[in-house]
């Protein structure tokens, strides 16, 4: 199963973070709109990502809910009919919730840097260090920590869990 080392953090200054990511990636990034539906499942997380253009991905992943760099294992299957698949999976498994976001993707070395505006939550960043077969988790964590420093991401801004978890927590507190 492929894996990456991930971190997620709250972003206080969207413009400043975007400028640093653009400098490091030597690009303005790619805008991607995503509508994720999370389904109930007994282990890990299962989500259907709809790119709002007739394409999507069914994604299963497992990772610990801790802040800082952590290993995530995942499986991805593309789909050309996310709406129909969403109906079937909703009926079969039940829906845990939905996350709608606009993502700006930057590529820096072996790392996917996401600058996300999440409906109902605000601005966040994610680093996904795509692990090479010969790399150790510690090496992936070091790549993530080095990039955090270059992007000005503080340890205090790190968050645990998925956006779905944060949205469910917000909803419970209302």
């Amino acid at each position: 199963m492929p894996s990456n080392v991930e971190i997620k953090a709250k972003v206080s200054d969207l413009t400043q973070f975007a400028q640093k990511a653009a400098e490091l990636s030597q690009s303005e990034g790619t805008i991607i709109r995503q509508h994720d539906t999370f389904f109930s499942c007994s282990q890990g997380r299962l989500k259907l990502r709809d790119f709002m253009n007739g394409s999507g991905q069914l994604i299963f992943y497992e990772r610990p809910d801790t802040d800082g760099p952590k290993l995530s294992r995942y499986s991805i299957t593309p789909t050309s009919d996310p709406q129909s698949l969403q109906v079937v999976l909703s009926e079969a498994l039940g829906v845990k919730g939905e996350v709608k976001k606009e993502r700006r993707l930057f590529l820096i070395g072996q790392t996917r840097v996401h600058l996300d505006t999440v409906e109902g939550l605000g601005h966040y960043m994610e680093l996904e260090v795509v692990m090479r077969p010969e790399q150790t988790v510690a090496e992936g964590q070091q790549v993530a920590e080095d990039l955090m420093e270059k992007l000005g991401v503080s340890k205090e801004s790190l968050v645990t869990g998925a956006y779905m978890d944060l949205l469910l927590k917000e909803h419970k507190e209302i």
Side-chain angles (χ1 to χ4, degrees), residues 106-146:
F106 301 91
L107 299 175
I108 302 173
Q110 73 187 87
T111 306
R112 297 169 55 89
V113 178
H114 304 147
L115 179 54
D116 294 336
T117 300
V118 184
E119 193 174 293
L121 283 180
H123 306 295
Y124 290 81
M125 61 74 61
E126 285 184 344
L127 300 181
E128 292 179 351
V129 180
V130 181
M131 298 296 290
R132 297 183 184 118
E134 73 280 0
Q135 278 184 309
T136 66
V137 174
E139 289 170 331
Q141 289 172 329
Q142 189 60 56
V143 170
E145 289 170 2
D146 290 347

Side-chain angles (χ1 to χ4, degrees), residues 10 17 22 26 35 37-38 44 53 59 63 65 67-68 72 78 83 85 99 111 116-117 128 132 139 157 164-165:
K10 185 91 171 128
F17 184 89
Q26 299 179 344
H35 181 164
T37 303
F38 283 77
N53 64 4
I59 304 167
R63 72 164 182 245
D65 288 332
D67 62 8
S72 175
Q83 286 87 12
L85 188 55
V99 176
T111 306
D116 294 336
T117 300
E128 292 179 351
R132 297 183 184 118
E139 289 170 331
S157 65
M164 185 75 260
D165 301 324

Side-chain angles (χ1 to χ4, degrees), residues 16-160:
Q16 182 181 21
F17 184 89
Q19 286 174 338
K20 287 180 182 179
E23 285 172 21
L24 290 169
S25 69
Q26 299 179 344
S27 80
E28 291 304 310
T30 303
I31 302 292
I32 306 167
R33 286 170 183 73
Q34 300 176 342
H35 181 164
D36 293 346
T37 303
F38 283 77
F39 301 97
S40 300
C41 64
S42 59
Q43 68 180 43
R45 292 182 173 93
L46 180 66
K47 67 182 172 185
L48 177 64
R49 173 161 289 158
D50 187 339
F51 291 112
M52 314 305 291
N53 64 4
S55 70
Q57 298 173 326
L58 184 62
I59 304 167
F60 172 76
Y61 64 102
E62 295 178 294
R63 72 164 182 245
D65 288 332
T66 57
D67 62 8
K70 57 199 155 276
L71 186 67
S72 175
R73 298 186 187 281
Y74 59 91
S75 296
I76 300 175
T77 299
T79 179
S80 58
D81 190 359
Q83 286 87 12
S84 295
L85 188 55
Q86 195 265 348
V87 170
V88 171
L89 289 169
S90 296
E91 290 176 4
L93 301 173
V95 173
K96 188 174 180 181
E98 298 180 16
V99 176
K100 297 176 184 176
K101 66 181 172 282
E102 182 176 282
R103 169 166 282 175
R104 192 164 163 192
L105 168 65
F106 301 91
L107 299 175
I108 302 173
Q110 73 187 87
T111 306
R112 297 169 55 89
V113 178
H114 304 147
L115 179 54
D116 294 336
T117 300
V118 184
E119 193 174 293
L121 283 180
H123 306 295
Y124 290 81
M125 61 74 61
E126 285 184 344
L127 300 181
E128 292 179 351
V129 180
V130 181
M131 298 296 290
R132 297 183 184 118
E134 73 280 0
Q135 278 184 309
T136 66
V137 174
E139 289 170 331
Q141 289 172 329
Q142 189 60 56
V143 170
E145 289 170 2
D146 290 347
L147 199 47
M148 278 175 57
E149 188 175 322
K150 290 176 184 171
L151 290 166
V153 177
S154 69
K155 293 198 184 300
E156 296 77 35
S157 65
L158 296 176
V159 296
T160 62

